[in-house]
Amino acid sequence: MRFTGAHILSIDQFARPDIDRLFAVADDLRPYADRLRTTRILQGAILSSMFFEPSTRTRISFGSAFNLLGGEVRETTGIKASSLAKGESLQDTARVLSGYSDLIVMRHPQAGSVAEFAEASRVPVINAGDGDNEHPSQAFLDLYTIKQEMAGRGQGIDGLRIALIGDLRFGRAVHSLCKLLALYNGISYHLVSPPGLEAPEAIVAGLHQRGHHVALHHELEAGIRNVDILYVTRTQEERFPTQVEANRYRGLFRLNQDIYTQHCQPNTVIMHPLPRDSRSAAQELDADLDENPNLAIFRQTDNGVVVRMAMFALVLQVAEQVHDHAQPVTWYTAKRMP
Ligand code: CP
């Protein structure tokens, strides 16, 4: 099992049986994520949550996941709030934090930085997004959601047809999801981006190498026909050298109900790693899709907790013992409502 005691830095580390195991553990932990039961299996364990870039979903869901397993979370948000701002190296920070924690989750603006940090850490490190490189836990929860959505349609992941739309150059969630899906059989990738924001060549080459079908599109309408999943992404404006350059891409691709009705097959699932850019000039995923039952974006975010719980349970090797430490929930929780 590649999760046990490991740093989780890239999807490249994993094979299909690892993902099957992760999803089985996530299914098993569902009652705890849904507050039907509680467990103290990680009582006494400390997670250091180090987010040197903005985050809502990843930071809070990793923290909630650790708390739901009974562990404690210590957070640092922003480089200015850490001694990195005083010139401390990533290596020294890793040596210090691994004396204080049993596990570290880290997001950082530079590609490769989390791996560099992990080399000096004595405890497992999970990459919560390193620049434009990868976001493995996002890919895990995305694929877990895809599996659920496709099961509801009587299908599996093999043979999936997916359109990945938007900023495929800088979108780390897309990079990790492309690699993760490539572990399955016969995937059709439709890579839909404005010219200049195409997926990195190395990623596309990896998909070809594994025998998958890849089509590149520069027009939204051409790329979204005949697929099972639309995976929409925002322009990663923070990765561009200047705002002027980022603005060139703002609002180029916008999916709304009208375009969906005209060009997509009924039942096409709509996903987005979020945040979506709701500013009027952007709106890559229009709010008029919010009532569309095929919009899975908040099912994705909900799944973020249970999938991250499963990651922790596997890395810290407690997945088999969770139920031994279980209690029923006695307090009111809306999660228990049907
Ligand atoms: N999907 C994602 O990484 O969201 P946050 O930036 O809010 O964590």
Side-chain angles (χ1 to χ4, degrees):
M1 168 50 56
R2 290 179 172 88
F3 284 99
T4 312
H7 302 309
I8 299 180
L9 304 173
S10 166
I11 296 299
D12 295 334
Q13 295 168 238
F14 298 100
R16 190 163 162 170
D18 303 311
I19 309 309
D20 292 343
R21 176 75 179 130
L22 178 73
F23 291 173
V25 173
D27 289 344
D28 196 42
L29 294 177
R30 176 64 69 181
Y32 305 93
D34 287 351
R35 323 291 201 276
L36 299 171
R37 305 174 86 187
T38 63
T39 175
R40 306 298 300 162
I41 188 69
L42 290 187
Q43 188 163 26
I46 295 178
L47 169 71
S48 284
S49 171
M50 312 297 292
F51 276 72
F52 300 122
E53 269 196 334
S55 170
T56 296
R57 276 144 291 274
T58 313
R59 182 171 65 84
I60 304 296
S61 61
F62 263 126
S64 299
F66 208 76
N67 286 149
L68 285 165
L69 291 169
E72 302 283 339
V73 181
R74 297 284 175 269
E75 285 196 311
T76 297
T77 53
I79 286 178
K80 284 185 184 157
S82 85
S83 285
L84 291 175
K86 302 178 207 165
E88 187 166 50
S89 67
L90 281 173
Q91 289 81 359
D92 280 1
T93 306
R95 287 183 198 109
V96 171
L97 285 178
S98 47
Y100 299 163
S101 354
D102 302 286
L103 194 71
I104 299 169
V105 169
M106 185 171 158
R107 171 173 288 187
H108 194 283
Q110 283 170 357
S113 55
V114 182
E116 196 184 318
F117 178 93
E119 274 181 34
S121 173
R122 285 171 280 136
V123 299
V125 176
I126 297 179
N127 179 3
D130 62 324
D132 62 5
N133 183 33
E134 279 218 43
H135 193 349
S137 66
Q138 179 69 45
F140 292 148
L141 76 89
D142 286 338
L143 188 62
Y144 186 73
T145 308
I146 289 172
K147 186 171 179 248
Q148 288 180 334
E149 299 291 323
M150 296 311 292
R153 291 156 174 76
Q155 290 174 249
I157 300 171
D158 289 329
L160 189 82
R161 303 166 302 166
I162 184 168
L164 297 123
I165 301 159
D167 180 356
L168 310 185
R169 176 180 170 194
F170 294 122
R172 59 193 174 198
V174 166
H175 302 166
S176 289
L177 182 57
C178 280
K179 290 180 179 188
L180 188 56
L181 278 167
L183 300 179
Y184 292 76
N185 298 320
I187 307 296
S188 289
Y189 295 83
H190 293 266
L191 304 180
V192 190
S193 69
L197 295 187
E198 292 90 351
E201 280 176 21
I203 288 185
V204 178
L207 307 182
H208 283 299
Q209 209 168 21
R210 285 181 173 264
H212 299 293
H213 171 75
V214 183
L216 307 183
H217 305 271
H218 286 139
E219 286 177 7
L220 179 65
E221 290 78 2
I224 61 178
R225 299 188 185 107
N226 302 318
V227 296
D228 305 299
I229 307 280
L230 302 173
Y231 190 89
V232 183
T233 63
R234 75 182 170 92
T235 305
Q236 308 282 303
E237 296 193 1
E238 65 274 31
R239 308 276 172 236
F240 287 79
T242 64
Q243 187 61 46
V244 173
E245 207 170 319
N247 289 348
R248 286 174 42 213
Y249 296 99
R250 208 183 243 195
L252 284 185
F253 287 177
R254 296 174 184 228
L255 183 70
N256 58 28
Q257 184 61 54
D258 192 37
I259 291 173
Y260 180 90
T261 307
Q262 279 189 53
H263 299 283
C264 297
Q265 295 176 356
N267 266 356
T268 305
V269 179
I270 308 161
M271 299 178 65
H272 191 306
L274 300 184
R276 55 179 156 173
D277 190 340
S278 296
R279 291 171 290 190
S280 58
Q283 293 184 339
E284 73 278 356
L285 189 62
D286 199 294
D288 74 355
L289 285 158
D290 284 5
E291 301 308 314
N292 186 321
N294 298 309
L295 186 77
I297 56 177
F298 299 115
R299 295 192 282 277
Q300 283 172 268
T301 53
D302 279 356
N303 282 334
V305 173
V306 78
V307 168
R308 290 178 170 119
M309 288 173 79
M311 291 172 70
F312 289 140
L314 287 171
V315 170
L316 296 177
Q317 217 176 355
V318 295
E320 303 295 340
Q321 301 134 52
V322 169
H323 299 305
D324 302 341
H325 295 255
Q327 296 284 334
V329 166
T330 52
W331 33 276
Y332 169 78
T333 167
K335 295 254 180 183
R336 290 153 74 188
M337 303 298 281

